[in-house]
Amino acid sequence: MKLLTFISCGLAYAAIFSLNAQDNLAQSIERGKELYMESCVTCHLANGQGLKGTFPPLAKSDFLVKYPEKSIHSIKFGMNGKVVVNGVTYNNAMPPSGFADDEIADVMNYIRNSFGNKNTQMVTEKMVAAVKEK
């Protein structure tokens, strides 16, 4: 009986932890959406499609999936030079966002879960802080 109680408590804790993590991700996505609409929408557009040949898409972006650290780096420190997104080469400059690490995490969570993208692995402030300028 004690084993059954222990297992039941463990499952309840896991369920609560999972719901809390989902809630945290949802809140981060909402904050990220606000930041995106203030700063990123000008180039990447409201639908995340970007402008082919000029500003890469975030919608269904293979780059976001393959290179999350590079994506964080580009938001944090800006980007110059060639980048290939969804098979199309872009060669433009992106200025640093000026966002704090927690804000970058929120924007990353928004773009990785919007525009046809789905990624439930939450980007955290700690992950962003670990990305250093090269």
Side-chain angles (χ1 to χ4, degrees):
M1 189 62 160
K2 289 181 182 181
L3 180 60
L4 184 57
T5 302
F6 178 76
I7 291 171
S8 295
C9 288
L11 291 173
Y13 177 77
I16 290 169
F17 180 78
S18 177
L19 288 174
N20 190 31
Q22 289 173 351
D23 191 41
N24 288 343
L25 178 59
Q27 291 172 3
S28 177
I29 290 169
E30 275 304 306
R31 290 188 303 266
K33 181 179 182 177
E34 289 180 30
L35 291 164
Y36 180 88
M37 292 304 189
E38 290 172 9
S39 299
C40 312
V41 71
T42 305
C43 298
H44 296 287
L45 307 180
N47 60 6
Q49 293 294 322
L51 185 59
K52 193 166 186 167
T54 306
F55 302 117
L58 302 174
K60 299 179 184 172
S61 170
D62 61 349
F63 189 86
L64 288 172
V65 175
K66 290 180 187 175
Y67 309 109
E69 292 82 13
K70 287 182 181 179
S71 300
I72 291 168
H73 190 276
S74 67
I75 296 170
K76 193 171 184 176
F77 302 109
M79 178 183 263
N80 284 307
K82 292 182 182 180
V83 62
V84 178
V85 180
N86 298 342
V88 177
T89 301
Y90 295 85
N91 191 4
N92 209 339
M94 178 175 144
S97 67
F99 293 153
D101 288 351
D102 63 324
E103 294 172 320
I104 294 170
D106 290 341
V107 169
M108 282 292 295
N109 288 320
Y110 173 67
I111 63 177
R112 288 169 34 115
N113 288 283
S114 301
F115 319 123
N117 301 320
K118 184 68 178 159
N119 194 317
T120 57
Q121 181 186 6
M122 185 168 171
V123 175
T124 65
E125 181 178 355
K126 185 176 179 179
M127 291 167 68
V128 174
V131 174
K132 304 297 181 193
E133 190 166 17
K134 296 176 183 176

